């Protein structure tokens, strides 16, 4: 009973994309600033070979539930995202609950676009950050074992610390090795002032499934979309629609 679940962990990455093969004396055409979605398990191979950076197709059968976890490695820059990198997934031809599946970024809807989980610093000007602040990213200070309920972390400097009740992912960059957990408590308490050394001990409401190495990334920067396939809608176009004017020409 219930829908068949198809789960995909997707990353939006900034990587060279080969657009054509070499012909005669002409070298292959490569967009050095490619922007493309990849599935978790393929990310390393795509980064290593611009030929493998091809558009991602998500296939589902009628009555499936497509369960998508989306994250981004596209850092802030000055010439494409103007220090405000954000990406989402906007699938066309769907009936949306725009609070949960549309990739919205506007109005009073919950923000479903993501900042980069690999960004740990920020362009500053006159003592203030330019564009959006540093994303809420951290790194594990100590390795953890399966079943552990606490992590020791160092937040990205200048970022806002996590808060109690938030759900964060430990090991967000690890294919099939992520743990999403609710925060039960944080010490020192960020509500009484941020830690000068940016270091916090976090306790989760339940233990983690996987082992994690020191240095792995801990982040709030992910979104989970669920798409129920009620009817056969054929081929559906989808893309980033947070920064389309600059991501589309590069593949997004
Ligand atoms: Cu669109």
């Amino acid at each position: 009973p219930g829908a068949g679940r198809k789960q995909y962990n997707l990353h939006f990455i900034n990587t060279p994309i080969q657009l054509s093969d070499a012909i005669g004396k002409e070298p292959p055409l490569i967009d050095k600033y490619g922007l493309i979605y990849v599935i978790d398990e393929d990310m390393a191979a795509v980064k290593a070979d611009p030929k493998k950076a091809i558009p991602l197709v998500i296939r589902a059968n009628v009555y499936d539930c497509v369960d998508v976890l989306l994250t981004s490695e596209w850092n802030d820059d000055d010439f494409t995202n103007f220090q405000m990198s954000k990406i989402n997934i906007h699938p066309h031809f769907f009936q949306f609950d725009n609070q949960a599946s549309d990739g919205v970024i506007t109005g009073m809807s919950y923000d479903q676009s993501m900042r980069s989980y690999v960004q740990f610093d920020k362009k500053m000007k006159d003592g203030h950050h330019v564009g959006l602040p540093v994303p809420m990213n951290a790194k594990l200070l100590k390795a953890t074992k399966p079943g552990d309920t606490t992590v020791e972390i160092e937040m990205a400097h200048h970022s806002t610390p996590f808060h109690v009740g938030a759900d964060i992912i430990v090991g967000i960059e690890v294919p099939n090795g992520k743990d999403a957990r609710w925060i039960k408590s944080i010490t020192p308490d960020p509500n009484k002032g941020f830690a000068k050394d940016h270091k916090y001990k976090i306790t989760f409401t339940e233990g983690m499934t996987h082992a994690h190495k020191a240095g792995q990334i801990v982040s709030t920067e992910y979104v989970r979309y669920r798409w129920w396939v009620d009817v056969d809608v054929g081929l559906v176009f989808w893309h980033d629609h947070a920064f389309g004017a600059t991501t589309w020409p590069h593949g997004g």
Side-chain angles (χ1 to χ4, degrees):
R5 177 164 168 255
K6 294 208 165 163
Q7 187 177 22
Y8 301 107
N9 296 335
L10 307 187
H11 299 281
F12 186 85
I13 60 171
N14 184 189
T15 193
I17 299 175
Q18 181 164 329
L19 302 167
S20 70
D21 289 331
I23 300 172
K25 287 184 208 157
E26 298 298 321
L29 193 60
I30 293 179
D31 180 356
K32 288 182 184 149
Y33 200 91
L35 295 166
I36 201 161
Y37 297 85
V38 291
I39 201 161
D40 221 358
E41 295 86 341
D42 292 347
M43 182 161 68
V46 172
K47 282 179 177 174
D49 182 359
K51 270 190 185 167
K52 290 188 176 156
I54 56 171
L56 188 66
V57 175
I58 300 169
R59 189 178 178 283
N61 295 314
V62 173
Y63 301 138
D64 279 344
C65 172
V66 185
D67 190 350
V68 172
L69 187 80
L70 175 67
T71 60
S72 173
E73 291 195 353
W74 185 35
N75 287 351
D76 291 352
D77 64 35
D78 286 322
F79 55 97
T80 48
N81 58 46
F82 318 108
Q83 297 292 331
M84 295 183 287
S85 172
K86 277 196 155 193
I87 63 99
N88 62 9
I89 287 179
H90 182 235
H92 287 201
F93 216 44
F94 278 30
Q95 287 184 307
F96 297 116
D97 172 354
N98 71 357
Q99 291 288 21
S101 56
D102 187 15
V104 279
I105 189 172
T106 51
M108 299 297 281
S109 297
Y110 295 115
D111 188 354
Q112 294 157 41
S113 62
M114 291 302 108
R115 306 251 305 129
S116 171
Y117 67 77
V118 291
Q119 185 176 331
F120 281 80
D121 54 17
K122 185 68 218 182
K123 184 177 182 177
M124 304 291 283
K125 195 183 172 192
D126 303 328
H128 196 267
H129 59 81
V130 182
L132 291 174
V134 185
M136 289 164 74
N137 296 327
K139 281 188 178 160
L140 269 189
L141 291 169
K142 286 182 186 162
T144 63
K145 298 189 296 292
D148 281 358
T149 54
T150 61
V151 287
E152 291 180 41
I153 60 152
E154 180 172 352
M155 292 297 309
H157 298 188
H158 305 292
S159 75
T160 306
F162 303 135
H163 57 265
V164 170
D167 46 337
I168 57 176
I169 288 187
V170 180
I172 196 165
E173 77 276 39
V174 184
N176 299 313
K178 308 175 208 312
D179 276 306
R181 290 293 182 272
W182 298 101
I183 298 177
K184 189 173 157 192
S185 64
I186 305 178
T187 49
D189 181 357
N191 292 326
K192 294 182 179 149
F194 296 174
K196 289 270 188 310
D197 60 1
H198 317 282
K199 292 176 183 172
Y200 298 91
K201 187 172 185 180
I202 290 177
T203 303
F204 296 126
T205 56
E206 60 179 302
M208 293 179 288
T209 303
H210 305 281
H212 297 282
K213 291 180 187 151
Q216 281 187 6
I217 300 170
V218 183
S219 181
T220 55
E221 293 295 339
Y222 65 96
V223 63
R224 190 175 183 183
Y225 305 126
R226 281 185 174 130
W227 305 325
W228 277 270
V229 186
D230 294 330
V231 291
D232 184 348
V233 289
L235 191 65
V236 176
F237 175 66
W238 61 278
H239 59 173
D240 166 54
H241 216 142
F243 248 107
T246 49
T247 57
W248 298 338
H250 292 287

